[in-house]
Amino acid sequence: MAEQKQYRVDLSELDGVVKRLRALDKDMDEPCSKVGYGTSISKTALGVNFGEAEDLTSAHDEMQTYMDQTLKKLQEFIRDFGLKAHTVHGAYDDAEHDTQKSMGG
């Protein structure tokens, strides 16, 4: 009969990962908000009837949209990974308790 490999999960480390991801998610709120709403420039801020000024404000708007989408996607990834890590932690914790219970502990 083939020997089964046993793996052990460090629940405290997994819990630490969940906590760090939650903190990172919270820390992302300000940059996400700032890039979306705090970096706007008016269409006339760099001059009027000046082609390069229009090109620059247009490039700024495109970059602002790109950064906003990128940071939102990153925060979504962090939240998704954090939720999955939390779920895995709960499953392993439940399995550990079930094992202890079945052994009379």
Side-chain angles (χ1 to χ4, degrees):
M1 199 181 236
E3 185 178 319
Q4 281 188 337
K5 289 185 178 182
Q6 296 292 318
Y7 296 96
R8 181 145 178 88
V9 175
D10 184 345
L11 291 177
S12 63
E13 186 62 32
L14 192 52
D15 187 50
V17 168
V18 171
K19 287 178 182 175
R20 287 188 299 274
L21 286 169
R22 285 183 179 158
L24 180 59
D25 178 39
K26 186 178 180 219
D27 290 346
M28 290 290 297
D29 287 340
E30 184 180 349
C32 286
S33 179
K34 189 173 275 188
V35 77
Y37 305 106
T39 59
S40 298
I41 57 173
S42 71
K43 298 292 181 202
T44 59
L46 302 173
V48 287
N49 298 325
F50 176 53
E52 286 81 3
E54 292 172 14
D55 292 345
L56 187 56
T57 55
S58 178
H60 171 271
D61 292 346
E62 288 175 23
M63 183 55 69
Q64 182 183 22
T65 299
Y66 170 77
M67 291 298 297
D68 185 48
Q69 292 171 346
T70 301
L71 288 176
K72 284 180 180 174
K73 198 68 166 166
L74 179 60
Q75 192 171 34
E76 180 183 310
F77 172 76
I78 291 166
R79 286 178 179 163
D80 183 51
F81 188 72
L83 178 61
K84 288 176 180 175
H86 177 72
T87 301
V88 167
H89 178 276
Y92 277 113
D93 193 36
D94 290 347
E96 192 172 279
H97 287 304
D98 290 346
T99 301
Q100 286 176 356
K101 194 181 215 180
S102 71
M103 298 176 114

